[in-house]
Amino acid sequence: MRVLIVGAGVIGTSIAYHLAVRGADVMVLERNGVACAASGKSGGFLALDWCDGTPLMPLARRSFALHAELAASLQGDWGYRRMTTYAGEMGRSHASQHDAAPGWIAPDVAIAGQIGSTATTAQVHPAAFTIGMMRAAEALGAELRPGEAEGLLRRNGAVAGVVVGGEALEADAVVIAMGPWSILAAQWLKLPPVFGLKGHSLIFQTGATIPPEALFLEYAEPGGPMLTPEVFPRADGTTYVCGISSESSLPINPDFVSPDDGAIDRLQALCARMSPILARAPVLASQACFRPVTADGLPLIGAVPGARGAYVATGHSVWGILNAPATGEAMAELILDGAARSVDLSPFNPARLAALDPDRVSITRRLGR
Ligand SMILES: Cc1cc2nc3c(=O)[nH]c(=O)nc-3n(C[C@H](O)[C@H](O)[C@H](O)COP(=O)(O)OP(=O)(O)OC[C@H]3O[C@@H](n4cnc5c(N)ncnc54)[C@H](O)[C@@H]3O)c2cc1C
């Protein structure tokens, strides 16, 4: 069976890997570069039980286990490691500090407690993981094809491929995994809307000075909103910090995503206040990206109703890196066997949300530059 996946983010490449393991003939179509968007610029934080009590619980728990298995079985070079995780706040005066407070934070940061251990929290370098999934899929015969999907090929009432550069690429099944740009596919298919929420981040060169301790903080920015910075020291000697979100509009071309005016300066000031190490460390990257979100906050994972041969996997919001492996495994089962066995996908069925009418979706290339 030939499967064409549109989008080489963490979701598209994870589906490609699991399909390739099962022996499918896989092609991944990517308009810019593997991991060029949120999948390359996110935190890469993983948690076993933070989705417990929600419809995401089975997907997250299966994914947390698969991340460990993939790192071991593929000898993945993507910085997978377990972490200790703390919550706290900064910017208020505090009389006492939690016993286990990391030594590398400023006195201004008060740790409220430990919220994750090496049994329950972990991380990957998200770009390296996404590329690692694509390389592992390629080693099993999958093909990465540069190009932008411009429409769908239809035959006998079914979706039979993708149009790229005016040419048809044929396939038995097509998977829309275009992250927040999946909204563009609503011009071709009856899909519920997917929105993009912007987040800013910095990567510092910190060497071995910060141990594997993740931080989730609250910070009332002077004269500004309440911020919730997240800090992830990585195995490669860098430290990732994100913390300023915005509702800026999504450029049609992922290459045109750039930080909002002033956001990086605010984030850098926050980091300098958070840790004397970050205050001194060289900045390796200042960046922004959009996470894909749906109207009810749950991903769309499944067959597209009324369009035989079409599937969608997007809208993973803040847990796309965590939930990619189980999404890939379940999508491979759905496409090849007709049903997912490893995880119940019914909470993520695209049919649960009202679809846009493709005839009434008018998305021009005006913003695409
Ligand atoms: C600041 C921030 C921090 C985050 N931190 C974490 C975290 O710590 N842990 C976690 O689990 N998740 C985290 N996330 C969420 C995670 O990054 C996303 O859920 C995930 O990366 C989404 O992956 P995706 O493959 O769906 O989309 P994307 O990464 O956006 O990939 C979509 C791909 O489709 C391609 N594409 C689009 N249109 C076309 C077309 N027409 N033809 C061909 N290709 C196309 C794009 O170029 C892109 O490569 C974070 C997100 C943000 C914004």
Side-chain angles (χ1 to χ4, degrees), residues 28-197:
V28 181
L29 183 70
E30 169 55 49
R31 59 166 292 167
N32 289 28
V34 179
C36 66
S39 301
K41 294 172 182 160
S42 87
F45 179 76
L46 315 173
L48 170 70
D49 51 2
W50 292 21
C51 298
D52 282 8
T54 79
L56 287 169
M57 181 171 104
L59 191 73
R61 284 185 165 261
R62 176 69 186 144
S63 274
F64 192 80
L66 279 176
H67 267 290
E69 281 176 30
L70 289 166
S73 65
L74 297 173
Q75 296 171 333
D77 188 17
W78 47 77
Y80 175 83
R81 64 176 179 173
R82 300 298 180 112
M83 308 194 87
T84 306
T85 303
Y86 298 95
E89 58 177 359
M90 60 183 277
R92 297 195 191 139
S93 52
H94 299 277
S96 63
Q97 186 63 279
H98 189 266
D99 292 346
W104 51 275
I105 54 171
D108 195 23
V109 179
I111 295 301
Q114 188 181 323
I115 54 172
S117 69
T118 52
T120 60
T121 54
Q123 68 176 167
V124 292
H125 189 301
F129 176 71
T130 303
I131 293 166
M133 285 297 98
M134 190 65 239
R135 296 291 165 262
E138 288 176 304
L140 295 166
E143 184 187 344
L144 174 64
R145 165 100 177 227
E148 178 185 353
E150 296 157 348
L152 295 178
L153 180 67
R154 290 176 192 268
R155 190 170 297 136
N156 302 327
V159 171
V162 167
V163 179
V164 182
E167 285 180 28
L169 288 180
E170 302 207 7
D172 303 303
V174 172
V175 183
I176 303 297
M178 293 154 56
W181 293 277
S182 301
I183 186 77
L184 297 173
Q187 298 171 113
W188 320 325
L189 289 167
K190 283 197 166 187
L191 283 177
V194 180
F195 310 95
L197 273 184

Side-chain angles (χ1 to χ4, degrees), residues 6-12 29-46 147-150 177-181 184 188 197-201 230 232 240 242 254 289-292 313-323:
V6 187
V10 73
I11 301 300
L29 183 70
E30 169 55 49
R31 59 166 292 167
N32 289 28
V34 179
C36 66
S39 301
K41 294 172 182 160
S42 87
F45 179 76
L46 315 173
E148 178 185 353
E150 296 157 348
M178 293 154 56
W181 293 277
L184 297 173
W188 320 325
L197 273 184
K198 193 171 190 178
H200 296 82
S201 54
E230 300 174 6
F232 308 121
Y240 173 99
C242 63
C289 62
F290 286 83
R291 60 186 158 94
T314 187
H316 289 70
S317 189
V318 294
W319 290 120
I321 307 298
L322 168 65
N323 287 329

